Amino acid sequence: MAMFGRQRDVQLFNSVNQELIHDIIEQLVGYYKVMLNQTPANVYGEAQNKTYLGPILIPCLLVRGGTTQETDTFGPDTFRELEVRFWKDDLISANVVPEIGDIILWNNLYFEVDNTNENQLVVGKDPNYPYNSDVVPFGDSLSIILTCHLTRPEILGIEQQTL
Amino acid sequence: MINFNLFFNYVKRLERDNPVKAPFSGSNLISNMSNVPYNNPVYTQINAPGRYWIYEYTLAISKELLGYVRGKYSTVPIPGAEVTLNQDALITAATAEKVALIEKLRTELDEASRRNQLERRAAENVAMKTTLNEVPLPIFIG
């Protein structure tokens, strides 16, 4: 039986994360989720017009990339990457499963999710996949990290409404 | 008829000149450190400075314990990174506070000891004598 990484230790990590993310950093992003049942696809399986649900405000940590400009035959274009690090408990509370194609709203900028990465395990164990009855209550999957790129709201069909 | 208990202290003739004789005999006799009547003080009977000392020492112990708890995992994972906990700072501060509080208690108890009180009283007597010696004698004119 493993001595480290029991549920009490996981609770300690969770309390530190809760305090740090919710009370100290307090960084929020809006999360748009694609509604597949209201997003019709063409014969090729492509959806030209997507319908999104949201935004839902979720606390997170951000790693902001720099803005770069590229000019081609169609004119200048702006590129920017964003890494959004969610504490998994926040996603569970918000009932959100991140997937490629979802949209992140931050500072009135829209970012499309390119990749989701759930690979931060406390003491290297995920209690959802124990494969051994002794390690069931050990470890935890702590975070889901999304890699996103800047996109335009006109492409998404998301328009900001102001009163 | 009323019953009374009459107690009286007595000293044996052979022991009355013994300088190390205990003033009382019986079960209260202190023969070594093991039967010194140290009783646990009752908190409600402790005065304000004593309670403040207890408060500070409890705070130092709590700080030390929290330091040991945080020492089990010196770094705690957060999404995509990790934060370092302040175990070293807590234990260092708690140890220094405990040493200072023990030294403060020892100093205060030493200052309030019987010996120091007697020395202080002796110094007061000397000072009083000196003062009285300086008082001029009255002059009588016959």
Side-chain angles (χ1 to χ4, degrees), chain A residues 56-140:
Chain A
I56 304 168
L57 289 175
I58 306 175
C60 65
L61 304 176
L62 292 178
V63 178
R64 303 179 304 276
T67 303
T68 57
Q69 299 278 343
E70 284 187 15
T71 304
D72 56 12
T73 54
F74 298 104
D77 203 355
T78 302
F79 296 90
R80 189 174 192 184
E81 291 187 347
L82 181 72
E83 188 176 279
V84 186
R85 299 170 173 176
F86 288 113
W87 180 37
K88 196 174 174 184
D89 282 20
D90 283 333
L91 294 173
I92 293 172
S93 300
N95 198 20
V96 169
V97 178
E99 291 175 302
I100 296 172
D102 294 343
I103 300 297
I104 302 284
L105 170 63
W106 172 73
N107 273 15
N108 212 21
L109 299 172
Y110 293 87
F111 295 85
E112 185 174 346
V113 176
D114 296 327
N115 188 27
T116 66
N117 188 12
E118 182 179 357
N119 192 28
Q120 191 176 12
L121 304 178
V122 174
V123 297
K125 297 186 181 73
D126 189 344
N128 294 318
Y129 305 98
Y131 298 124
N132 185 349
S133 59
D134 287 342
V135 295
V136 170
F138 286 86
D140 191 23

Side-chain angles (χ1 to χ4, degrees), chain B residues 105-136:
Chain B
L105 180 66
R106 186 171 290 147
T107 304
E108 290 181 353
L109 288 177
D110 190 43
E111 286 178 355
S113 67
R114 178 79 175 156
R115 178 181 175 183
N116 276 351
Q117 288 181 19
L118 290 174
E119 285 178 358
R120 220 170 10 247
R121 193 172 297 170
E124 285 177 9
N125 289 337
V126 171
M128 185 66 73
K129 282 181 182 176
T130 306
T131 304
L132 292 175
N133 286 338
E134 297 296 326
V135 175

